[in-house]
Amino acid sequence: MPKNDASPDRRLRSVDLARLAGISTQQIRNYEESGVLPPAARTPSGYRVFGEVHRQALLAYRALLKGYGPATATPVMRAVHDGDVPGALALVDAAHAALHEERIALRAAGEALEVLAGEEPGPLPRTGGLRIGEVAALLGVRTSALRVWEAAGLLAPSRERGTGYRVFAPSDVRDARLVHTLRRSHYLFDQIRPVLEGLRREGGSEALRAAIDARGKRLTARTRAMLEGAGALHGYLGGRPDRFTAAATTTGSTAGGPGPSPT
């Protein structure tokens, strides 16, 4: 009687796994050698023999790739197969934390756009740019604050030839206004910097708004893909934190799969 496709005793070849994922057999071998898949047993002639646990590992990894990318998905699977499940989950946590920081920066950009829309600056008191003291008075901040923002790379006023005095053009005043507003909302310098870079790169608030909307959609799609990948990882772990231990991955495959390669 043929074995069920999900039988833990089912024997699979490299080509079977490759067809399942739509990749080459060489990639399957690379996955096993890199620890993405558990160690495979070998036939007397040296051919790899895979099992159900390898099929599950492959599907979990391919799901993780979609949301987390290879830089996270690969070490996650390697940590699992090294018996370090907490370490693998810590990598997942770090990826979600990084995505959260991206959302914070995106929200900062949105708030900056509201500032631009609601506080359109009038003409400068005089042509030719403003000195640092004039900008400080205009914003209601100390000159030392403007110098700190400049040192942090948030502002880049030009220098007057001969005197070396800072000269703030209208765009510099706009940037200073945004920094001041976002700082009052407790945003960090590292969260403000992408906002200013995006504004300068896009050349205007409407172009930046379109870029922000597109970025928001990409983040949402990535979040959904990460949730799918995390669910696949949870399924692979089988709800049993002791499924993958150092002993299990060095003395034989789990879930009834084949043992490790002798070479």
Side-chain angles (χ1 to χ4, degrees):
M1 184 175 186
K3 296 181 183 299
N4 185 283
D5 284 350
S7 169
D9 297 323
R10 184 189 181 201
R11 292 164 63 91
L12 299 169
R13 302 165 299 167
S14 298
V15 67
D16 297 322
L17 293 180
R19 288 171 179 166
L20 176 66
I23 57 179
S24 68
T25 54
Q26 181 59 53
Q27 192 64 56
I28 294 296
R29 291 191 286 270
N30 293 343
Y31 283 171
E32 193 243 353
E33 291 172 359
S34 66
V36 166
L37 301 181
R42 300 278 186 138
T43 66
S45 57
Y47 289 104
R48 290 174 174 83
V49 179
F50 298 100
E52 173 61 18
V53 69
H54 299 94
R55 187 188 71 85
Q56 294 174 4
L58 177 62
L59 293 177
Y61 178 67
R62 300 294 290 185
L64 286 170
L65 274 180
K66 294 178 182 178
Y68 298 88
T72 296
T74 298
V76 163
M77 295 300 290
R78 187 180 296 127
V80 167
H81 297 141
D82 284 344
D84 184 13
V85 173
L89 297 181
L91 292 172
V92 171
D93 289 343
H96 283 273
L99 184 64
H100 177 64
E101 289 300 318
E102 290 187 52
R103 288 195 179 278
I104 290 176
L106 198 65
R107 186 167 66 244
E111 292 188 10
L113 284 177
E114 293 305 317
V115 172
L116 283 176
E119 299 182 15
E120 286 294 336
L124 298 182
R126 59 183 175 82
T127 60
L130 301 182
R131 299 279 178 82
I132 189 170
E134 295 172 311
V135 176
L138 187 65
L139 300 183
V141 301
R142 296 178 182 274
T143 57
S144 59
L146 293 173
R147 293 191 181 94
V148 170
W149 298 346
E150 181 182 0
L154 303 179
L155 302 178
S158 61
R159 295 282 181 159
E160 191 175 70
R161 186 174 299 176
T163 65
Y165 290 140
R166 294 172 177 82
V167 179
F168 287 76
S171 60
D172 299 317
V173 176
R174 176 206 63 192
D175 291 350
R177 204 183 286 271
L178 291 177
V179 173
H180 180 44
T181 298
L182 295 177
R183 286 296 289 163
R184 284 187 300 180
S185 297
H186 307 293
Y187 284 101
L188 304 176
F189 288 164
D190 286 344
Q191 296 164 342
I192 297 173
R193 192 173 292 108
V195 178
L196 295 172
E197 292 173 350
L199 186 61
R200 294 163 185 160
R201 181 176 60 252
E202 301 300 336
S205 59
E206 288 306 315
L208 179 58
R209 180 175 284 107
I212 289 173
D213 289 343
R215 179 61 178 163
K217 292 177 181 177
R218 289 195 296 271
L219 286 180
T220 297
R222 185 178 168 198
T223 298
R224 293 175 66 90
M226 289 173 76
L227 288 174
E228 183 179 351
L233 178 63
H234 175 71
Y236 181 51
L237 295 175
R240 304 197 305 272
D242 60 342
R243 181 183 185 187
F244 296 97
T245 64
T249 54
T250 56
T251 61
S253 298
T254 59
S261 167
T263 58

